[in-house]
Amino acid sequence: MIRPARQVAWDVFCHVIDNYGDIGVCWRLARQLTSEHGCAVRLWVNDLTAFRRICPEIDPLLPAQYAQGVEVRHWVAGFPDVVPGDVVIEAFACQLPDNFVAAMAARRVSPVWVNLEYLSAEAWVTGCHTLPSPHPRFPLTKYFFFPGFSETNGGVLRERDLEDRRTAFCNSPEQQIEFWLSLGFPPPPADALVISFFSYENAMIGDLLTVWAQGKVPICCLAPETQTLTLLETFAGQSLRAGNTKRFGQLEIRVLPFVAQTDYDRLLWASDINFVRGEDSFVRAQWAEKPMVWHIYPQDEGAHLIKLGAFLDLYTASASTATADAVRGFHEAWNARMSGGEQPGLITPELWQRCLDALPDLRRLALNWANYLKKQDDLCSRLVRFCRSKL
Ligand code: TRH
């Protein structure tokens, strides 16, 4: 491929381990590098089928294609001999192909090599952010880039036009109606609390849906068609698929199709509360400026609970004790895992009621948090600046 002169060439490597967060983050980054920073981005992805779910224009059968200005390459075994770009990003410590690393070392000027790490609010992140690690064999240095929630680390992804797009959507009943119809549903009932519901297979889903069904507040639960469908079906006592609407007391469940990433943002903006998971939906819920519940990706020996606690400490720092307790209590229950597996029975009507009572405060908290984050540079800008300083 011929690239225009002076355009910095980036290779971004994404190894999808499971689900959609790895590609979710890499795809956002690749688009932003291209559209906002004028970079020529080649995105290597091992699983184009997963990619297609968040970006339907991807053809999983093509070894190379362009999508939204990004060159997308299928990362397969038997990696081709290509000339590495000026910057190489390995996302989430994915292992680069050996011949590619050798080609990096063979370049006249070594590429800037960055391992884009997982997002964490833990304090140690700042100390490790941008630390170099020399390659044991080649004259190459890899830098660790840690996303986070302060000026002293890598920040979080945020497109330049995100705020404008969100505001335009939230102020436009027409756009919202069009959005609901595009999902195959009418707008939710006006008196219902609208909850988007994206989580891992959490044994407490049934308990929570029961609390909602038997509660006083009408709830419209928007559940994307994912692996949690089986648990929803167990609760419903019937099979479910995208397009279904089912009613249980005060609870209406709508099973949504899995939508493109840009539409997922709209879903978060259109909901009153967002249940999210992993990394990317978790960040997007923060930009939606709505109360949220995070189902963190479970790690061995409960490491994720430390990560969860670190985030909640920051997120609730300005909250009243009652509000902070409601947030923490619900998150602890939703993320509870004992050595034998998840613990049903922790989600109670009282726990949920504490959240409902705190809702006005939770809305303020979400807004304050987003305003705090908005004062900082976004991850992509920080990454570009860092890489430029090493070029
Ligand atoms: O899917 P996730 O659980 O992803 C991951 C992976 O498990 C990964 O291995 C782990 O390392 C990481 O989490 C922390 O959750 P996440 O990060 O929220 O990614 C989901 C993506 O899917 C996000 O980009 C939003 C997108 N999405 C859509 O595009 N459409 C949809 O309908 C939904 C529900 C999500």
Side-chain angles (χ1 to χ4, degrees), residues 34 61 68 90 98 150 185:
T34 308
L61 298 177
Q68 300 177 32
E90 60 171 58
D98 290 344
S150 83
F185 294 94

Side-chain angles (χ1 to χ4, degrees), residues 196-264:
S196 80
F197 200 57
F198 185 39
S199 78
Y200 299 113
E201 288 133 307
N202 188 331
M204 286 165 282
I205 284 180
D207 288 352
L208 182 57
L209 295 177
T210 304
V211 168
W212 287 349
Q214 296 173 355
K216 295 192 192 76
V217 178
I219 287 181
C220 181
C221 169
L222 308 165
E225 200 177 28
T226 62
Q227 66 266 53
T228 54
L229 199 62
T230 319
L231 290 163
L232 292 169
E233 288 178 332
T234 305
F235 166 80
Q238 55 191 292
S239 62
L240 297 172
R241 61 188 162 79
N244 285 164
T245 300
K246 301 286 172 187
R247 197 156 250 304
F248 307 90
Q250 291 281 51
L251 170 66
E252 177 181 303
I253 297 179
R254 295 181 176 187
V255 183
L256 305 190
F258 199 92
V259 293
Q261 210 181 36
T262 37
D263 278 331
Y264 182 67

